[in-house]
Every structure is written in structure tokens, then in C-alpha cells.
Amino acid sequence: MAYKYIINEIKNNKKDIVYWIIILVLFLLSYYKFAFYMHYELSDFGRELYISSEIANGKVLYKDLFNIYAPMSYYFNSLFIKIFGNSFNMFFLISAFLSVMILIPFYNIAKKYVNKEIALSSIILILAISNSVIFI
């Protein structure tokens, strides 16, 4: 579903290929920075992975598991855990994929209200401010 959206956007906006390539390169650099230079204990991945894996194993959020955050991401992640298995690397890659799925609509919305250069600059700013694209 998401890949069809990306392919349609690229076909409809062939002039934007350069911008898409820049966003992809920035994402890969940010992903590389997090994967090899950040310490995992500085993030919330442990909690996210634990709660999502417990939901995938049949526990009920807010009944069996105490949590103060909204439930959607945990249920969404538990679906991926059921499909791909329970591992830290899988969870990291799924988080990276979902982050890109957030950046693409953000770029398209920003492009409607400002020019393409400012929209791209906003994506660069998001990548620069956050430690990684994973924390979007």
C-alpha cells in the first residue's frame, strides 16, 4: 500500500526525483549514524519492544501491562512482531521504515504550502534536530 503511494508520487512528480534522492540519502545517513554510533540504551526501544512483544504474546495493554502512552504504536508494532518475529534488529528496521512513511507525507504537505526548497529544508531540519530519523 505505502509503496504504491511512493511509486505514484514519483511518477506524478518526475521533477521531484532529485528531492526524493536527497531525502533518501539523508535518511540513510541518519539511519547509519544511529545504527553504528548511538547507544541503544539512550532510547526507548527496550520499552517499545517489550510491550509490543507482550501484546503479540497475548497480553492486554493497560490490563496486564502498565503503560502511560497511547496504544496505537504498540499494537501496530505487535502486528509486525507477529509477522517478522521478535528481534531488536527487526524492530529497529520497522521503526526506520515507519519514520520514512512519516517524512514522505510531511514533505508533500509542506510542498503544497511552501516551495520545494523550503519543504526539503524542513525535512533536513527534522533529520538534523532529531538524533536519528528513528526518533521522529
Side-chain angles (χ1 to χ4, degrees):
M1 217 168 19
Y3 67 90
K4 289 181 183 178
Y5 173 76
I6 293 170
I7 291 171
N8 284 335
E9 283 297 316
I10 291 172
K11 284 181 183 177
N12 294 335
N13 302 308
K14 291 188 180 183
K15 296 176 192 174
D16 292 347
I17 294 287
V18 173
Y19 296 108
W20 286 102
I21 291 172
I22 291 171
I23 290 172
L24 178 65
V25 167
L26 289 172
F27 168 75
L28 291 174
L29 287 173
S30 179
Y31 176 79
Y32 175 80
K33 178 181 78 171
F34 184 83
F36 296 105
Y37 295 108
M38 297 292 292
H39 297 283
Y40 296 122
E41 62 268 7
L42 299 178
S43 68
D44 297 333
F45 276 3
R47 181 194 68 229
E48 299 290 325
L49 181 59
Y50 172 73
I51 292 175
S52 299
S53 64
E54 290 298 312
I55 290 172
N57 290 332
K59 290 194 176 178
V60 178
L61 188 60
Y62 308 120
K63 178 183 174 194
D64 300 326
L65 301 166
F66 175 76
N67 190 17
I68 61 171
Y69 301 107
M72 184 173 175
S73 66
Y74 297 110
Y75 285 108
F76 197 69
N77 290 332
S78 67
L79 173 68
F80 283 113
I81 287 172
K82 283 238 185 229
I83 294 170
F84 297 112
N86 189 3
S87 76
F88 189 78
N89 291 330
M90 180 282 311
F91 191 73
F92 185 74
L93 290 173
I94 293 299
S95 297
F97 175 75
L98 293 176
S99 296
V100 170
M101 293 299 110
I102 291 170
L103 286 177
I104 291 169
F106 182 83
Y107 172 74
N108 286 328
I109 291 169
K111 189 174 63 172
K112 289 181 181 181
Y113 294 104
V114 295
N115 62 19
K116 293 175 187 175
E117 289 78 17
I118 294 175
L120 180 64
S121 299
S122 64
I123 296 292
I124 293 169
L125 186 63
I126 289 171
L127 290 171
I129 289 174
S130 63
N131 287 336
S132 168
V133 74
I134 309 301
F135 292 128
I136 292 176

